[in-house]
Amino acid sequence: MKPKILVLGGSGFVGKEVVRTLCKGGHAVRATYENSQREEVIGLLDAEWVEVDLGNSESIRSALQGCVAVIHAAGYEPESAAVSVSDARRRGVGELRRVLDECLAQKVVRIVYVSSISTMNNGEPDRVYDEADFYTPGQFSGAYYEAKYSMEAELYRYFDKGLEIVVALPSLVLGPGCIDSPASEILREILHEPAVTGTAKDDGATQQRLNVVDVRDVAGALVAAMERGRAGRRYALGGINTDVQRVRELIVQALEDDDRSVDEFLTDTHPTHLITELAEKLAGSRARQIVGKLAKYAPESLTDSLGDLQGLRRGRDLQSGEVQWYGVHVNSQRARGELGHRPRLLAQIVASSVDVRGVEKSRE
């Protein structure tokens, strides 16, 4: 058995696939879960599942014991558009520091940190981004960019202290299990409305750029980064450079091939779709208050979704001209050359993303 690896955020969309990849590769794995996902992940594969509080150093210390490396897929994201930049920075950097301090204390060999292509985006939509590009602080007004940038900057301080840190920058991650993850909101957004800020002229309109990558390819690249990535390096884990219109066409085609309609897909992929539609129709300053009241009477499994509605999940900013979370094209040549990153075809990614019944089969 290979040395034990800790996967922070192991119960998440990307984290579960990382756990699966590590186990298949013969690694001993300890993975962390959120309390709401305990029943879903306990017993999954051969991993040891533990709960961890990133706000508590002792909890992190316990999770790290006996592990030689960490794949950190639990980086903080502002849960609400109402979160201030200062609060987002404070929490994100604070949680990360506690992890890195404990890694130093326990002489962990390597940390692979899952960041975001947002830290490459400098607001120029008509170009292709790579690892040499950096977000400029203060460029956008939202807390998401500022928190992600500040957390990545903190990583380099600890690299100077001797930690072997590798930074991964995934683009829009889709693939098997996507419909049970926050990424499903982006699929819904793509189907609901045309997103038109970017390039690629189409009948006088402009189609927003996207780069789409499969979760299985991201997981493989993260494990490769742990095994042979160069310390101090950033790796853009992109897939196919495309646009919103093309992704929409492929979603519709995949559903037609499976004898499903778009309406059926939108209903099946989100248990709170009726509340979502209601929330979208609410206008005025009382909208968030009403959704908050609804959350008090919802089943526990829906509480997180309602909380996201209060802040409006960042996927809903897909069409924003000011803030484009995923609306860029990406060059992943470094990851291809050094990590063996080989993205799947776009049609394969989209088909597996909307396939409810064939999730496990598509992972083979």
Side-chain angles (χ1 to χ4, degrees):
M1 181 69 76
K2 296 179 181 179
K4 183 173 287 187
I5 311 301
L6 175 64
V7 181
L8 292 173
S11 61
F13 177 41
V14 172
K16 277 188 288 191
E17 200 61 45
V18 170
V19 172
R20 189 183 307 276
T21 303
L22 286 168
C23 289
K24 286 183 178 179
H27 285 280
V29 181
R30 178 178 296 142
T32 68
Y33 63 87
E34 294 182 3
N35 186 56
S36 62
Q37 296 170 309
R38 184 180 189 280
E39 297 302 322
E40 178 184 346
V41 299
I42 293 298
L44 179 67
L45 298 172
D46 295 321
E48 173 192 355
W49 290 94
V50 298
E51 191 171 8
V52 69
D53 177 6
L54 294 183
N56 184 290
S57 295
E58 185 175 343
S59 176
I60 298 168
R61 187 178 310 131
S62 176
L64 276 170
Q65 287 180 357
C67 296
V68 300
V70 176
I71 297 180
H72 191 329
Y76 169 71
E77 296 186 6
E79 61 279 353
S80 166
V83 175
S84 70
V85 169
S86 59
D87 286 346
R89 282 179 181 151
R90 186 180 305 112
R91 177 172 170 182
V93 172
E95 289 182 351
L96 183 57
R97 279 179 182 166
R98 277 183 282 273
V99 171
L100 298 177
D101 283 339
E102 291 302 324
C103 286
L104 275 174
Q106 297 197 39
K107 296 182 171 52
V108 169
V109 175
R110 168 157 295 211
I111 301 167
V112 177
Y113 181 78
V114 184
S115 185
S116 163
I117 61 169
S118 65
T119 63
M120 298 194 302
N121 190 347
N122 65 15
E124 299 177 34
D126 297 330
R127 50 172 305 208
V128 178
Y129 288 87
D130 63 22
E131 297 87 351
D133 294 305
F134 286 87
Y135 168 72
T136 302
Q139 183 174 338
F140 296 120
S141 59
Y144 179 80
Y145 272 104
E146 297 296 318
K148 287 297 183 184
Y149 175 85
S150 298
M151 292 156 68
E152 192 172 321
E154 191 70 9
L155 292 169
Y156 300 120
R157 285 206 319 114
Y158 280 81
F159 175 71
D160 288 340
K161 294 181 180 183
L163 281 180
E164 289 190 10
I165 296 175
V166 182
V167 180
L169 308 165
S171 59
L172 174 56
V173 184
L174 301 177
C178 165
I179 56 175
D180 295 322
S181 80
S184 65
E185 288 298 311
I186 297 176
L187 293 181
R188 289 167 54 83
E189 192 72 18
I190 288 172
L191 286 170
H192 268 310
E193 301 286 347
V196 289
T197 56
T199 56
K201 296 289 183 179
D202 180 20
D203 296 330
T206 57
Q207 288 296 329
Q208 182 177 323
R209 289 182 167 196
L210 286 179
N211 182 280
V212 178
V213 66
D214 193 284
V215 66
R216 294 163 291 185
D217 298 328
V218 170
L222 292 174
V223 173
M226 181 200 66
E227 294 174 337
R228 60 181 183 272
R230 292 177 57 181
R233 282 277 209 186
R234 307 169 91 208
Y235 290 96
L237 304 184
I240 307 302
N241 286 321
T242 184
D243 59 57
V244 169
Q245 178 62 32
R246 180 57 180 154
V247 174
R248 183 188 296 113
E249 291 170 353
L250 288 172
I251 294 172
V252 173
Q253 181 62 55
L255 292 174
E256 289 178 349
D257 290 344
D258 201 27
D259 294 324
R260 285 188 292 163
S261 69
V262 170
D263 287 341
E264 287 173 332
F265 171 72
L266 293 175
T267 300
D268 291 342
T269 56
H270 205 292
T272 59
H273 67 283
L274 293 177
I275 302 176
T276 302
E277 298 301 327
L278 172 62
E280 289 173 347
K281 290 178 172 59
L282 293 172
S285 61
R286 296 194 62 219
R288 286 192 177 91
Q289 297 175 17
I290 295 172
V291 174
K293 290 179 180 179
L294 286 173
K296 296 178 182 178
Y297 301 99
E300 185 176 351
S301 61
L302 304 187
T303 302
D304 289 343
S305 297
L306 286 166
D308 290 334
L309 290 176
Q310 286 180 276
L312 297 183
R313 184 177 291 285
R314 61 186 173 89
R316 295 203 167 277
D317 288 325
L318 186 67
Q319 301 177 58
S320 168
E322 179 187 5
V323 180
Q324 296 178 14
W325 301 110
Y326 298 104
V328 297
H329 281 176
V330 178
N331 179 350
S332 300
Q333 285 302 115
R334 176 181 289 178
R336 287 173 178 263
E338 298 183 17
L339 305 180
H341 180 50
R342 296 291 183 270
R344 284 168 169 78
L345 297 175
L346 183 61
Q348 294 175 329
I349 299 172
V350 172
S352 65
S353 299
V354 301
D355 185 1
V356 180
R357 290 157 290 186
V359 170
E360 292 304 319
K361 181 178 178 180
S362 64
R363 281 175 170 155
E364 295 175 357

